[in-house]
Amino acid sequence: MNIDDVLDRAHVVSLPLAVKFRGITTREALLIEGPAGWGEFAPFLEYGPAESAAWLRAGLEAAYEGFPKPVREWVEVNATIPAVPASEVPAIVDRYPGCRTFKIKVAEKGQTLADDIARVHAVSARGVIPVLRVDANGGWSVAEAVEAAQALMPLDYMEQPCASAEELVEVRRQLMRNGLFVRVAADESIRKVEDPYRVADLQAADVAVVKPAPLGGVRRVLDVAQHLRERHMDITVASALDTSIGINMGLAAVAALPQIYDDEDIDVTPAAAGLATGSLFEEDVTAPRQLHDGHLRAEILAPEPDRLSALAAPASRREWWFERLRESWQFL
């Protein structure tokens, strides 16, 4: 494998989003058609070459090596609710038929805790009592996180309430001191640091949110998950606003997680994964994956030629992504 071969196999696409997410309305990605399947290279635009190299490793693994053997056929998923006004929540919830777990974006710049409360309540008002997770992307201080926990309970967990692992330690301490039974999950404190195991060493989180693309691939996710599980952390596999090709990686990771059995020898299914984000796209390079009672089949999809052609990015953006891949290649 060399860089010229990779670029010869590359396609750059631009996918329209149904809802603004992370401040964007289109998602660009470079897709690689390799001998073992399709891979995706789509680091967020603000990421530099060194950080983007992990995303490239993940895409190359999918395209040139393929995925580990699965041990399960279906994957439970959560719905993802962007930081939209509460009035827009019902229409987004309807995009996730059968989902019982909801991850709700909070702590958006320019918004208030009142906005977050209204958004969470709008999800709760949809009938069956849901399992609620909130994701602050490191946007709160310790005091703000504790205040939010009091206002938003009951929650399955708060994902990355503060930016640093040390702050997560203090959040957990304050929650316990105040009798608030809310778990803390780490995302950026795992995928954006050199040592993804530090959160476990510090006992900074109860849950690890692991994403194949920024961690460097499915096999890397499985290694990290095993290490953290041995240190009594639960695992949630999630996407990074991936195209359907990137979602292949997440589904393959959950499908290959080792089976765990409880004291009664019952298989404990993995936590609901953040892999239904395809519902946030207006168009994708494959036909939409169908949710069945809140689950996705762990099948590996390839782009449809007509969709690949229709969603091709302009030539200038294609060249921009090619140059970005070249820059990231230097850090492999």
Side-chain angles (χ1 to χ4, degrees), residues 74-331:
W74 291 91
V75 172
E76 184 179 2
V77 294
N78 67 236
T80 299
I81 309 298
V84 298
S87 60
E88 297 180 19
V89 166
I92 298 174
V93 170
D94 289 342
R95 289 178 171 268
Y96 297 94
C99 284
R100 293 175 288 273
T101 302
F102 292 81
K103 184 173 89 166
I104 305 156
K105 292 289 185 178
V106 293
E108 184 84 353
K109 289 183 179 179
Q111 296 186 7
T112 67
L113 179 57
D115 296 317
D116 297 334
I117 293 170
R119 191 177 308 115
V120 171
H121 286 176
V123 173
S124 299
R126 294 294 290 172
V128 177
I129 298 175
V131 176
L132 300 176
R133 303 165 174 172
V134 295
D135 180 8
N137 290 117
W140 285 323
S141 67
V142 171
E144 288 169 337
V146 174
E147 180 187 5
Q150 292 173 318
L152 299 173
M153 286 183 66
L155 297 172
D156 179 23
Y157 58 67
M158 306 175 73
E159 182 175 327
Q160 201 69 43
C162 304
S164 71
E166 289 77 11
E167 288 174 306
L168 298 187
V169 172
E170 185 59 26
V171 169
R172 290 189 75 214
R173 183 179 296 119
Q174 292 288 342
L175 291 174
M176 288 186 284
R177 184 175 297 167
N178 286 277
L180 301 172
F181 298 100
V182 179
R183 298 190 297 167
V184 172
D187 175 10
E188 286 87 347
S189 290
I190 292 173
R191 65 178 170 88
K192 292 178 71 70
V193 298
E194 291 185 2
D195 181 5
Y197 307 124
R198 187 165 177 266
V199 289
D201 295 337
L202 292 175
Q203 298 184 345
D206 308 281
V207 181
V209 179
V210 291
K211 300 177 178 180
L215 282 176
V218 172
R219 289 170 180 81
R220 174 66 167 155
V221 163
L222 296 177
D223 288 344
V224 170
Q226 178 181 352
H227 182 100
L228 296 179
R229 274 180 162 176
E230 290 171 353
R231 284 149 184 81
H232 311 293
M233 290 182 68
D234 289 335
I235 301 296
T236 298
V237 176
S239 78
L241 196 59
D242 303 324
T243 75
S244 184
I245 301 309
I247 293 296
N248 284 341
M249 293 190 294
L251 291 172
V254 181
L257 283 173
Q259 291 174 297
I260 297 177
Y261 296 91
D262 64 15
D263 293 339
E264 298 180 355
D265 204 33
I266 297 174
D267 181 19
V268 179
T269 57
L275 298 173
T277 48
S279 297
L280 299 174
F281 288 93
E282 287 282 6
E283 299 287 346
D284 207 333
V285 293
T286 74
R289 284 183 162 91
Q290 298 301 313
L291 277 163
H292 298 273
D293 193 27
H295 292 69
L296 291 175
R297 186 184 295 277
E299 58 182 335
I300 306 304
L301 302 181
E304 298 175 5
D306 289 348
R307 291 174 179 265
L308 202 60
S309 176
L311 295 166
S316 61
R317 297 304 297 167
R318 182 175 184 270
E319 290 306 315
W320 188 89
W321 278 94
F322 276 28
E323 182 59 27
R324 194 175 192 200
L325 188 149
R326 293 186 188 99
E327 293 172 351
S328 298
W329 188 275
Q330 306 303 315
F331 292 89

